[in-house]
Amino acid sequence: MDRYEETHVEIPLIEQLKNYGYNYLNTNELDRERSSQAVVLLEDRFRESLQRLNPWMNENSLDKVVRRFSTPQAEDLWHMNKQIFDWLFGEGITVVQDVGSGNKNQSVKLFDYDKIENNDFVVTNQFTVTNTSGIIIPDILIFVNGLPLVIIECKSPKLAPEKQLTEAYRQIDRYVREHEKLFWYNQIIILTSRDRAKVATLFTPTKHYGVWKDPYPLSFEEVGSDYPQDILVAGTLQKDTLLDLMRNFIVYDGKVKKLARYQQYRAVNKAIERIKINKKPAQRGGVVWHTQGSGKSLTMVFLSKKLRRIQQLKNPMI
């Protein structure tokens, strides 16, 4: 790895995540949790999270869920990624177990959205993955409850400006072609050189990767930096924000997997805040100003998804 890239891009990003409460583990520490470097799911960590979030689960149920995620079946990467997304953030999964009233399908909780600290957030760098195609070493990976959900590829700001994120995208594209397994669970991909930073999802063409110009709900003063990388990390990777983005702001549109833009994320959450806080109908409404082609329909999709999940709104008519 380029030393300048490490000191000016990779390490500052990891330090920022540590400040947000992530647990940093180096690759040697994580290797002790893996049976081999071909394994990308941290099975023991995943199992521990399942047990913590679902204390009713017995050993047999835990085994079934871990096995389902460690050896899923699908015809190609697109179907695999969508299937796992649905398990994690869509329809969910169930196991048959008797918890006091006979064998019944019981819903399995995979994340705690109400108490964020009940989840296990780990960041690591230079994580080695091997298979018959060879070895890849992604710059930064984020695991939530043992699942590798975010991959970050870093490039040196010393590269020519037009090459920085282009080279990072090419690296990700090679990883996808040669090591599909790493992307079974992936929800967010970030390309960064600190001076430039963009975010998207698997299957997104390079021209559709987007900048993240607003650290909402933080202020720019709270971030304390105007580097695009620092703003993007603040706006997407705080623990509660990351879970919110993955759960409510990703949709599959045909063969395209779409992540909200920063404007859509901010607009939806500000609208929800107004709806929850105000009691009078006139005070709960408002106007969201859009330019042509800025994603009005998707903003409404994201808003609808999140509204339906807020228990105090009692499944509102949309």
Side-chain angles (χ1 to χ4, degrees):
M1 155 176 270
D2 182 306
R3 180 64 181 163
Y4 192 85
E5 174 189 313
E6 180 183 13
T7 57
H8 287 73
V9 183
E10 190 173 304
I11 291 176
L13 197 155
I14 291 171
E15 289 301 315
Q16 189 175 358
L17 292 179
K18 288 165 66 176
N19 288 335
Y20 293 155
Y22 282 70
N23 181 25
Y24 171 74
L25 296 174
N26 65 43
T27 188
N28 292 328
E29 292 173 296
L30 286 183
D31 279 348
R32 291 195 285 271
E33 298 188 26
R34 301 195 286 169
S35 56
S36 75
Q37 290 187 335
V39 174
V40 297
L41 174 68
L42 304 178
E43 293 185 13
D44 289 345
R45 199 170 285 268
F46 180 51
R47 186 187 185 92
E48 289 168 6
S49 294
L50 287 171
Q51 183 71 86
R52 182 173 63 255
L53 299 176
N54 307 274
W56 54 268
M57 289 179 73
N58 60 31
E59 291 299 313
N60 184 51
S61 293
L62 288 168
D63 289 341
K64 286 180 179 178
V65 175
V66 172
R67 189 161 54 247
R68 177 185 285 195
F69 277 89
S70 60
T71 57
Q73 302 295 319
E75 60 188 272
D76 56 27
L77 178 58
W78 186 89
H79 287 91
M80 182 71 80
N81 187 267
K82 187 176 187 305
Q83 173 180 272
I84 291 177
F85 175 85
D86 287 341
W87 291 346
L88 295 175
F89 305 109
E91 61 194 29
I93 61 170
T94 61
V95 292
V96 177
Q97 185 180 315
D98 184 353
V99 294
S101 56
N103 281 339
K104 294 182 180 179
N105 279 322
Q106 310 292 340
S107 296
V108 177
K109 189 175 183 179
L110 297 168
F111 303 99
D112 192 332
Y113 299 103
D114 299 316
K115 296 181 179 179
I116 298 299
E117 296 308 318
N118 279 346
N119 302 289
D120 177 45
F121 289 80
V122 169
V123 59
T124 191
N125 58 332
Q126 306 303 308
F127 185 83
T128 302
V129 184
T130 63
N131 66 9
T132 54
S133 297
I135 298 173
I136 62 169
I137 308 177
D139 289 325
I140 298 175
L141 281 177
I142 291 174
F143 293 85
V144 184
N145 295 343
L147 298 150
L149 301 182
V150 181
I151 183 169
I152 303 171
E153 191 64 23
C154 304
K155 289 300 172 188
S156 171
K158 283 188 173 182
L159 288 173
E162 69 276 7
K163 289 185 178 181
Q164 292 171 12
L165 300 192
T166 301
E167 289 298 318
Y169 179 83
R170 286 177 183 166
Q171 197 88 315
I172 292 291
D173 187 54
R174 180 174 72 83
Y175 295 165
V176 172
R177 286 185 281 106
E178 296 181 0
H179 290 74
E180 281 191 2
K181 192 172 184 179
L182 180 62
F183 294 89
W184 288 357
Y185 314 92
N186 177 263
Q187 305 305 323
I188 292 176
I189 298 172
I190 292 172
L191 314 175
T192 182
S193 63
R194 198 157 195 216
D195 292 341
R196 291 163 180 79
K198 290 186 176 183
V199 62
T201 60
L202 184 62
F203 315 116
T204 302
T206 181
K207 64 181 180 180
H208 292 309
Y209 272 69
V211 295
W212 202 276
K213 294 183 179 181
D214 189 342
Y216 172 87
L218 293 181
S219 66
F220 287 93
E221 290 74 20
E222 287 173 312
V223 177
S225 168
D226 58 2
Y227 279 108
Q229 171 178 298
D230 300 343
I231 299 300
L232 185 149
V233 170
T236 62
L237 297 183
Q238 291 186 84
K239 293 178 179 180
D240 53 348
T241 302
L242 177 59
L243 288 182
D244 189 23
L245 278 172
M246 293 187 295
R247 187 187 191 199
N248 298 306
F249 294 89
I250 291 176
V251 295
Y252 286 78
D253 184 4
K255 290 285 186 177
V256 181
K257 185 178 183 181
K258 296 180 178 179
L259 172 71
R261 300 172 181 175
Y262 70 92
Q263 307 99 315
Q264 294 167 320
Y265 181 72
R266 181 180 58 201
V268 167
N269 280 314
K270 281 182 173 288
I272 295 237
E273 182 180 1
R274 179 175 292 192
I275 290 168
K276 290 170 69 175
I277 290 175
N278 294 301
K279 302 302 181 183
K280 295 180 179 179
Q283 295 174 328
R284 302 174 93 186
V287 176
V288 180
W289 184 84
H290 282 76
T291 57
Q292 185 174 0
S294 61
K296 296 181 289 294
S297 298
L298 274 178
T299 300
M300 295 302 101
V301 171
F302 298 136
L303 178 60
S304 300
K305 283 183 68 174
K306 192 159 184 178
L307 283 172
R308 295 291 291 272
R309 285 183 164 135
I310 298 174
Q311 290 186 354
Q312 74 183 73
L313 298 181
K314 300 177 181 178
N315 195 18
M317 184 174 67
I318 297 172

